[in-house]
Every structure is written in structure tokens, then in C-alpha cells.
Amino acid sequence: MVDLANPYRMAAPQGRVVEERRDEGCRYMDPISHKYTNAPFPSRGPDRVCFVVAIEKARAHTLGFVHNPSHSSLPRGGRALS
């Protein structure tokens, strides 16, 4: 998982699947999607499933970079050098 405000901050949970839930109508995914994107979950269909994971271990890490989205690393003209 990545922090949207700082993509250099992340978490890596690990665990095992303890339950598989059918989610054809996105009743599990829609509330999460609305919370973060203000829109319904886009990937819908009759084969939709959600996995319930029992977290056994988790790690958080922040890389030593500064997130500055207004600063562009591309050279003038907007093309990367090859």
C-alpha cells in the first residue's frame, strides 16, 4: 500500500486468506472506493470476489526522498532524455 500524499511512504502487510466473499454488486468495494475516490468501484461483474486476509506481519517504510509533485524532473520541453 502506498500513501497517496507521499508515494515514498508505504506499508506491506502479509497474511493468509481466511475467507473469500462474492461481491458481484460491489457492496464491499463501493464504500472503500467512495471513501478514497468519491466514485463507485469501476471493476464490476458477476465474477467479483473479495478476500478477507488475517494479517500476520506488517512492515512500514518511508524512503528518504521528498515528494514534490509540482517539481518536474523532465527537461525543458517535457521529453525525457534517452
Side-chain angles (χ1 to χ4, degrees):
M1 292 179 253
V2 176
D3 183 344
L4 291 178
N6 179 1
Y8 301 115
R9 182 173 177 238
M10 60 201 82
Q14 293 178 320
R16 57 188 171 77
V17 174
V18 295
E19 186 181 345
E20 183 178 318
R21 297 179 182 169
R22 295 187 53 73
D23 195 23
E24 182 176 340
C26 289
R27 75 174 177 184
Y28 300 112
M29 292 306 298
D30 273 346
I32 297 167
S33 183
H34 277 284
K35 179 179 180 176
Y36 293 102
T37 68
N38 230 9
F41 191 71
S43 181
R44 306 180 94 73
D47 56 344
R48 192 85 218 125
V49 294
C50 289
F51 297 102
V52 178
V53 177
I55 302 299
E56 297 170 343
K57 181 168 56 167
R59 180 173 178 241
H61 186 72
T62 302
L63 298 174
F65 300 108
V66 175
H67 180 55
N68 186 357
S70 63
H71 174 73
S72 175
S73 61
L74 293 176
R76 187 166 228 148
R79 292 189 47 202
L81 301 175
S82 44

